C-alpha cells in the first residue's frame, strides 16, 4: 500500500462516517461509498499480503453490504461510527508501519469479531423494532434502551494515544468503555 492511496480513501471514509454520525443517519450514497472504499482496501491489502488489514476491511464491508441491502435495518449511527473509526485507526497505523518499513503485525481480530457480532445483532432484530423504540423514546423523552454487543476500548486496539486518529473521542469515552 504505497503512496497516498490508503490515506485518501481513509480520509474520505472518515469524513463520510463523521457526517453520517452528525446527521444521525446513513444515506444510501454514504453506505455505497463506505462499502466501495472498504471493498477496495480489502482487495488491495489482500493482493499485497496484508491479511490483517484485509480481514478487518472484509468485516467492515460485510456490515455495509448488509446495510445497503436492508435500508431499514435498526442501525445506531453513533455505535457504528465507533466501530468504523476504530477500523480506520487500525488501518492507518498499519499503513504507517508499512511506510516505515516495519511489519504490519497489528491484530484487529477482536474488532472484526465485534463487527461480526454487531452485524448478527442487526440481522436478528426486526427492522420495525428500531422505529418503534425511537417513537416510544421520543414520547418518553428518554433514549431507548437496547442490547448492544460489547465495544472494544480504543486504546486496546492501538496501545498508545500517539497514533490515535479519532478526532472526536475524548478520554472520558475511553474510560467509559472500561470494564
Amino acid at each position: 500500500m504505497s503512496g497516498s492511496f490508503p490515506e485518501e480513501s481513509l480520509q474520505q471514509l472518515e469524513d463520510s462516517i463523521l457526517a453520517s454520525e452528525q446527521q444521525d443517519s446513513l444515506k444510501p450514497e454514504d453506505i455505497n461509498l463506505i462499502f466501495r472504499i472498504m471493498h477496495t482496501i480489502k482487495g488491495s491489502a489482500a493482493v499485497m499480503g496484508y491479511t490483517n488489514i484485509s480481514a478487518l476491511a472484509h468485516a467492515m464491508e460485510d456490515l455495509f453490504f448488509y446495510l445497503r441491502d436492508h435500508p431499514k435495518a435498526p442501525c445506531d449511527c453513533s455505535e457504528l461510527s465507533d466501530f468504523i473509526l476504530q477500523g480506520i485507526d487500525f488501518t492507518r497505523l498499519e499503513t504507517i508501519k508499512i511506510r516505515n518499513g516495519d511489519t504490519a503485525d497489528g491484530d484487529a481480530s477482536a474488532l472484526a469479531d465485534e463487527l461480526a457480532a454487531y452485524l448478527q445483532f442487526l440481522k436478528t432484530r426486526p427492522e420495525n423494532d428500531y422505529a418503534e423504540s425511537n417513537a416510544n423514546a421520543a414520547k418518553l423523552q428518554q433514549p431507548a434502551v437496547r442490547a448492544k454487543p460489547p465495544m472494544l476500548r480504543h486504546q486496546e486496539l492501538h496501545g498508545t494515544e500517539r497514533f490515535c486518529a479519532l478526532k472526536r473521542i475524548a478520554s472520558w469515552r475511553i474510560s467509559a468503555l472500561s470494564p
Side-chain angles (χ1 to χ4, degrees):
M1 301 184 110
S2 60
S4 61
F5 154 69
E7 186 52 41
E8 289 173 4
S9 296
L10 292 172
Q11 188 59 52
Q12 188 177 16
L13 178 61
E14 182 176 27
D15 292 345
S16 179
I17 202 71
L18 289 173
S20 295
E21 184 179 29
Q22 285 178 341
Q23 298 164 7
D24 196 28
S25 69
L26 277 168
K27 297 176 189 167
E29 58 269 18
D30 294 327
I31 292 171
N32 285 326
L33 173 69
I34 294 166
F35 173 82
R36 283 192 316 270
I37 290 171
M38 296 320 307
H39 180 75
T40 301
I41 290 173
K42 176 191 76 171
S44 298
V47 165
M48 291 183 263
Y50 302 120
T51 56
N52 57 349
I53 297 171
S54 179
L56 179 59
H58 190 134
M60 294 167 72
E61 178 191 34
D62 285 349
L63 181 56
F64 282 89
F65 179 84
Y66 179 80
L67 292 173
R68 185 177 66 177
D69 288 351
H70 298 87
K72 294 183 181 183
C75 178
D76 179 334
C77 284
S78 178
E79 187 170 24
L80 182 62
S81 294
D82 288 343
F83 285 129
I84 302 310
L85 292 169
Q86 286 179 50
I88 291 168
D89 280 351
F90 175 82
T91 305
R92 278 191 173 132
L93 179 60
E94 293 304 288
T95 57
I96 288 169
K97 289 178 186 178
I98 294 165
R99 270 182 262 171
N100 290 337
D102 298 327
T103 304
D105 58 357
D107 182 6
S109 59
L111 178 57
D113 290 346
E114 288 196 56
L115 286 163
Y118 187 70
L119 175 58
Q120 188 60 35
F121 168 74
L122 293 178
K123 286 180 175 181
T124 58
R125 186 156 180 216
E127 291 181 359
N128 64 351
D129 185 35
Y130 184 67
E132 288 175 15
S133 67
N134 279 348
N136 291 337
K139 288 178 188 174
L140 299 173
Q141 296 183 350
Q142 296 177 359
V145 176
R146 297 186 300 272
K148 296 181 181 180
M151 294 284 294
L152 273 181
R153 287 181 53 213
H154 186 273
Q155 274 185 317
E156 287 177 335
L157 186 60
H158 300 292
T160 178
E161 292 285 335
R162 192 174 95 181
F163 291 105
C164 180
L166 293 177
K167 298 173 185 153
R168 62 175 211 19
I169 291 189
S171 61
W172 66 266
R173 179 71 171 133
I174 295 169
S175 63
L177 296 174
S178 297

